[in-house]
Amino acid sequence: MKFGIAVFPSKKLQDLANSYRKRYDPHYSLIPPHLTLKEPFDATDEEINKIAKKIEGIAKDAEPFTLRAYKISSFQPVNNVIYMKVDSVPELINLYQSLHNEEFGVKSQYSFVPHITIAQKLSNDEHSDVYGSLRMAGVDHEETVDRFHLLYQLENGSWTVYETYRLGGGDS
């Protein structure tokens, strides 16, 4: 089964992201707006139980952090993804690094750029038009994140929560 790890922002930020995603992101119906902490990986039931325990330990040692989405940016020319850029605060970077040590195997194919995707799989012309208008609209949002989620992918391609972890070790 495929798993991933992500932060779901507040409803307010999700609503803002979805106002763009419903038009510009074909994955809109598969997963809510999120900040990816670990890209999809495969694990058996037995493996995911061990991984879930490791994640629990990481969550206890991690601190809540401020998620500040402060500008619209793009990964072009690598790909035509448009996103809300999120501040690289130390608590977020430490959490990401903890989820990418040797125990977790697969290294990310990209360097970590904290973000929430709002548009993807656009043609070059679409990207240019959409990016121009979204950059002018901008974003300025700040909130405290105190939890993250281990997700699994269903047969229809959508993602659902497998387990929720509180940062600092509080109860879910």
Side-chain angles (χ1 to χ4, degrees):
M1 197 175 330
K2 240 188 213 338
F3 293 88
I5 302 174
V7 168
F8 292 124
S10 65
K11 180 177 183 332
K12 181 179 177 184
L13 189 56
Q14 285 193 39
D15 287 350
L16 177 61
N18 275 334
S19 70
Y20 303 122
R21 289 182 72 226
K22 64 184 166 196
R23 285 179 285 179
Y24 307 122
D25 184 356
H27 297 166
Y28 168 75
S29 64
L30 301 177
I31 187 168
H34 62 281
L35 188 156
T36 301
L37 292 172
K38 188 158 188 71
E39 292 175 34
F41 61 94
D42 290 308
T44 64
D45 287 345
E46 187 179 311
E47 290 168 334
I48 203 61
N49 289 333
K50 290 177 188 168
I51 291 168
K53 287 278 181 241
K54 289 178 191 170
I55 296 171
E56 199 174 306
I58 288 168
K60 283 186 175 124
D61 292 340
E63 295 295 321
F65 62 90
T66 299
L67 184 154
R68 185 173 81 92
Y70 63 95
K71 79 176 199 178
I72 304 296
S73 199
S74 172
F75 288 126
Q76 197 181 47
V78 177
N79 59 39
N80 285 351
V81 169
I82 300 170
Y83 59 89
M84 295 176 178
K85 188 161 181 54
V86 172
D87 240 350
S88 297
V89 295
E91 298 86 352
L92 173 56
I93 300 302
N94 292 341
L95 177 58
Y96 175 85
Q97 288 172 342
S98 297
L99 294 167
H100 287 83
N101 64 24
E102 294 78 45
E103 290 184 66
F104 285 94
V106 184
K107 293 278 185 206
S108 176
Q109 66 183 79
Y110 302 109
S111 60
F112 184 48
V113 177
H115 71 280
I116 298 168
T117 298
I118 55 175
Q120 60 186 323
K121 301 195 184 318
L122 303 171
S123 71
N124 288 337
D125 287 345
E126 284 174 319
H127 175 274
S128 182
D129 290 347
V130 171
Y131 184 46
S133 64
L134 293 185
R135 271 184 48 198
M136 286 194 305
V139 62
D140 183 17
H141 176 89
E142 193 170 298
E143 65 186 65
T144 299
V145 170
D146 66 355
R147 67 193 69 208
F148 66 97
H149 311 276
L150 174 61
L151 311 170
Y152 67 99
Q153 192 172 33
L154 301 172
E155 285 182 20
N156 68 2
S158 67
W159 291 85
T160 193
V161 173
Y162 183 86
E163 196 158 334
T164 297
Y165 301 91
R166 297 257 325 200
L167 296 167
D171 293 330
S172 296

